Amino acid sequence: RKGSRKNRSGANDHPRRMATSTGLEPLVETQISVVTNDGRLFVGTLRGFDQSSNVVLSDCQERVFDTDKGVEQVVLGLYVIRGDNLAVVGEVDEEIDSRIDLSNIRAAPLKPVVH
């Protein structure tokens, strides 16, 4: 069958099935939060992803935490995050997120994720 290949277990791995098996498909066109392996936090609208779980976010911003100042929101616009750098991906409840006053939040930056 064209576009298919056998994996080590002998099952067919079609590239489209591999991408949807990441669990990202239901999140396309929704606002998500991404924590990267180096402890950075990004929020944006998931526009797409590929078989390596590289993600494309639009209207992306990085939220930089500080123990003395409020959370700084760095506007990035259209942004790509490599799949091998993803630690946690989750859906953002936009109604709740819009009610949070990030300028009043004091927190230490996240530490890098250890696998």
Side-chain angles (χ1 to χ4, degrees):
R1 184 167 129 190
K2 188 174 183 178
S4 295
R5 63 181 182 271
K6 297 273 186 180
N7 66 18
R8 291 181 189 185
S9 68
N12 281 330
D13 275 340
H14 187 274
R16 178 72 176 150
R17 273 188 243 122
M18 287 173 54
T20 59
S21 69
T22 64
L24 294 172
E25 184 72 34
L27 298 175
V28 172
E29 300 302 326
T30 64
Q31 190 173 42
I32 64 168
S33 174
V34 176
V35 177
T36 57
N37 290 332
D38 60 357
R40 297 166 71 188
L41 174 66
F42 298 91
V43 176
T45 302
L46 179 63
R47 293 297 178 196
F49 61 94
D50 64 13
Q51 68 273 10
S52 298
S53 297
N54 298 314
V55 295
V56 178
L57 302 177
S58 66
D59 304 317
C60 184
Q61 56 184 258
E62 181 179 1
R63 293 184 179 175
V64 182
F65 292 84
D66 189 287
T67 54
D68 298 322
K69 303 178 268 182
V71 176
E72 179 185 1
Q73 296 186 86
V74 180
V75 177
L76 302 170
L78 190 64
Y79 202 72
V80 176
I81 303 173
R82 286 178 50 111
D84 60 0
N85 197 27
L86 300 179
V88 179
V89 176
E91 186 174 5
V92 172
D93 184 321
E94 294 182 56
E95 183 181 329
I96 292 172
D97 190 61
S98 67
R99 293 192 310 237
I100 298 171
D101 183 2
L102 295 173
S103 65
N104 286 326
I105 294 178
R106 307 288 186 265
L110 292 173
K111 294 183 178 173
V113 175
V114 179
H115 294 281

